[in-house]
Amino acid sequence: MPKFDTSVQELKYRVLREVAALTKEDKLTEHMLELPEKIIPGPEPTTRCCIYKERAIVQQRVQMAIGGHEDVKTEVEVLPIACDECPVSQVEVGNACRGCLAHRCAHACPKDAISFENHKATIDHSKCIACGRCVAACPYSAITKNTRPCERACKPGAIKMDENKKAHINEEKCVSCGACVYQCPFGAIVDKSYITHVVKLLNAAKKGGNPVYAVIAPSISGQFEGVTTEQVVGGMKAMGFHNVIEAALGADIVAYLEAQELKEKGFLTSSCCPAFVTYIHKNFPGMVDKISHNLSPMAMIAKLIKKAHPEAEIIFVGPCVAKKGEVKLEKVAPYVRYSITFEELQAMFDAYDIDLKNTEPDMLNNASYFGRIFARSGGLGDAVVEALKEQDEKSEKASDFKLNAVVCNGLEECKVALLKANKGLLQGNFIEGMACEQGCIGGPGCLTHGPKEKAEVDKYGRMAKEQRLDTAMVIYDMLVDE
């Protein structure tokens, strides 16, 4: 079994692997109800109060592994039965309270929720609005505000407790970034999986159906411990993928086109991160016209594949939960059928009994250095600089346009930049927005979530065969009507 960061991630993998294996054999419907007992054999519980609850949670995870609930519009859902362990009260008084005479906490409270018993502050939670003013006022740091991990992780503020003290996702605010999925310590929030849909396409292809192409994100580098990227590609082809192509090739094209668009319009926000784009639509509707009109790298390269091979079924593989929603958009759906994560790809390898360490490697080398560094924060900005340089080289008159990129590492930084831009205060002409910290290499669908080194991403980029963006534009110009 692969090594994961957490036991929650391991349980998710086990469910996905079993579901994929049954789908491959066309036995999912027949044996699906047996999975909870197979995954949680018992007889003693290992993580919850009883084995029956553990199995009930697995059953809900199986539902998510086959696509979740269609009536839920977000790509993440709460498993109610699994969400019951986090503290309910947000603001608490600890033992450090000295019962001081100043009573700064009580004076700071706008709702008179603080009183004193036996010279110690107490909080009436029926009045408390968890504003945190008492926390800031206490000279002993005796008052703490306990925010649920999912709420803390959700930068758009889409997660709150419902009347039953369970986590509730506000679909109007959620951008499906997936941060809550990894941060929930009890695995109560799960992203929908389309792994069964992908396996069925592979089964159909083996019987003479449409060939299945994989578009793989540049953050693939280093995801699978102890094997090369070429071995991962070989493993995917052994599963039945007809071809594996880098999304980085689409990134080359997007960077080139966004540079042209930026020069024409004078100000842009990037269109590569679907969670960032959704965040603008939901929180800054007046700036929607500033989003680059170009497709994301995933959709761009898929469009080229479909142009050359109209019969192709295209699957995106990457670290991103929000991509699962992007492929449903009207402008993307004609090109990409489904999106799966690196977690799901690992589950598929094991469902197909593919040992990557013993797999014949296959090449993945059809993009440039600049397309590959899209995987990390700042990579898009660097690529646009290169695109502007290459365009000047081809022009009879060099442009005096200069890129002033604002690199946003995570949604909090995106929010600050967008607020400034909305008020005309931003010192920049291009917002590179990444919902995940560190960029795509920090995505929730990664196999590991430790710190990633920018240098490692750049090293993988330097292994690319192509060194210029305009090489990709030759392919683009041949296949896409202007």
Side-chain angles (χ1 to χ4, degrees):
M1 182 182 293
K3 182 180 178 181
F4 295 105
D5 295 342
T6 70
S7 297
V8 169
Q9 200 178 7
E10 180 183 325
L11 176 60
K12 180 181 182 181
Y13 154 80
R14 289 167 63 195
V15 171
L16 290 168
R17 181 191 63 196
E18 295 298 334
V19 166
L22 286 176
T23 305
K24 179 173 71 76
E25 300 299 326
D26 197 22
K27 296 179 179 179
L28 181 61
T29 302
E30 181 182 353
H31 296 288
M32 185 168 63
L33 295 180
E34 302 169 7
L35 288 180
E37 190 170 350
K38 180 177 181 180
I39 293 171
I40 308 293
E44 298 298 325
T46 58
T47 58
R48 300 281 183 164
C49 61
C50 67
I51 195 170
Y52 306 105
K53 184 169 184 176
E54 290 183 353
R55 289 173 179 171
I57 291 170
V58 168
Q59 189 63 56
Q60 290 188 349
R61 283 187 165 275
V62 170
Q63 177 64 45
M64 294 300 293
I66 61 175
H69 300 87
E70 291 185 2
D71 59 325
V72 177
K73 303 306 178 185
T74 59
E75 294 304 318
V76 294
E77 295 186 32
V78 177
L79 309 183
I81 193 172
C83 182
D84 63 354
E85 301 289 349
C86 289
V88 172
S89 300
Q90 286 192 313
V91 182
E92 298 285 355
V93 179
N95 294 330
C97 177
R98 308 307 301 163
C100 63
L101 297 178
H103 291 181
R104 287 188 173 92
C105 56
H107 289 291
C109 180
K111 295 296 182 180
D112 294 326
I114 298 179
S115 59
F116 292 85
E117 297 179 8
N118 299 322
H119 304 290
K120 184 177 180 179
T122 62
I123 298 175
D124 182 346
H125 291 292
S126 67
K127 296 180 179 179
C128 177
I129 58 172
C131 64
R133 295 182 187 179
C134 58
V135 177
C138 179
Y140 294 104
S141 300
I143 307 178
T144 57
K145 183 176 180 180
N146 300 314
T147 305
R148 286 184 168 193
C150 57
E151 291 187 42
R152 187 166 56 247
C154 182
K155 303 310 178 185
I159 300 180
K160 299 295 180 186
M161 287 186 294
D162 64 15
E163 63 275 9
N164 298 315
K165 306 302 181 184
K166 307 284 188 180
H168 172 75
I169 298 174
N170 184 338
E171 293 184 5
E172 298 302 316
K173 293 184 177 182
C174 179
V175 299
S176 294
C177 66
C180 55
V181 175
Y182 180 70
Q183 290 301 329
C184 177
F186 290 91
I189 307 179
V190 183
D191 53 311
K192 297 176 180 179
S193 176
Y194 303 97
I195 194 170
T196 59
H197 302 67
V198 175
V199 173
K200 288 176 182 178
L201 286 178
L202 292 174
N203 284 349
K206 290 178 181 178
K207 297 176 182 178
N210 292 339
V212 184
Y213 286 66
V215 170
I216 199 161
S219 46
I220 182 68
S221 174
Q223 279 292 314
F224 295 85
E225 187 176 356
V227 299
T228 65
T229 301
E230 288 75 17
Q231 285 175 300
V232 175
V233 174
M236 294 179 72
K237 290 189 175 181
M239 276 196 291
F241 283 97
H242 180 74
N243 204 353
V244 181
I245 297 173
E246 290 192 85
L249 183 60
D252 287 340
I253 297 167
V254 169
Y256 204 89
L257 295 176
E258 284 198 349
Q260 293 175 335
E261 186 181 6
L262 179 59
K263 282 193 294 185
E264 293 171 4
K265 297 181 177 178
F267 178 86
L268 275 184
T269 74
S270 60
S271 60
C272 301
C273 172
F276 171 63
V277 171
T278 302
Y279 185 76
I280 296 176
H281 277 271
K282 292 189 173 185
N283 295 277
F284 295 88
M287 293 192 65
V288 169
D289 64 329
K290 305 299 182 185
I291 303 171
S292 170
H293 78 280
N294 287 289
L295 295 170
S296 68
M298 169 196 75
M300 181 63 74
I301 190 60
K303 182 177 181 179
L304 296 190
I305 295 170
K306 291 290 278 189
K307 191 77 173 180
H309 307 282
E311 76 288 358
E313 300 284 5
I314 301 174
I315 309 300
F316 177 74
V317 183
C320 186
V321 170
K323 287 289 186 187
K324 297 179 180 185
E326 183 186 352
V327 301
K328 299 175 183 178
L329 297 177
E330 184 178 352
K331 65 179 181 180
V332 179
Y335 312 123
V336 188
R337 282 293 298 272
Y338 302 110
S339 174
I340 62 173
T341 64
F342 293 134
E343 287 180 321
E344 292 162 323
L345 181 61
Q346 178 65 71
M348 286 182 65
F349 281 138
D350 292 338
Y352 280 75
D353 295 319
I354 292 174
D355 181 0
L356 291 178
K357 292 184 179 180
N358 296 317
T359 298
E360 189 70 24
D362 204 317
M363 292 300 294
L364 182 71
N365 200 357
N366 46 19
S368 80
Y369 162 82
F370 296 100
R372 285 184 172 181
I373 64 172
F374 265 56
R376 49 91 168 163
S377 181
L380 171 56
D382 290 348
V384 172
V385 169
E386 171 66 16
L388 291 169
K389 174 185 171 184
E390 292 181 18
Q391 289 166 16
D392 276 353
E393 290 174 359
K394 295 182 176 182
S395 175
E396 295 181 1
K397 181 181 179 181
S399 170
D400 58 359
F401 181 85
K402 300 296 181 184
L403 175 70
N404 186 5
V406 178
V407 177
C408 299
N409 189 9
L411 278 179
E412 285 185 315
E413 291 186 9
C414 292
K415 179 180 179 179
V416 171
L418 290 167
L419 282 169
K420 289 182 177 179
N422 200 37
K423 295 180 180 179
L425 301 175
L426 187 70
Q427 299 298 309
N429 55 16
F430 181 70
I431 299 178
E432 178 195 310
M434 293 283 194
C436 296
E437 294 185 9
Q438 305 178 81
C440 300
I441 54 175
C446 290
L447 291 172
T448 60
H449 296 76
K452 308 295 195 306
E453 292 291 336
K454 172 179 177 291
E456 286 299 313
V457 178
D458 290 351
K459 179 181 177 181
Y460 177 62
R462 286 191 291 272
M463 293 168 63
K465 180 179 179 180
E466 307 296 343
Q467 297 301 313
R468 290 175 62 91
L469 297 168
D470 54 11
T471 305
M473 293 306 297
V474 174
I475 301 173
Y476 177 81
D477 290 337
M478 284 194 306
L479 293 176
V480 177
D481 295 329
E482 292 295 334

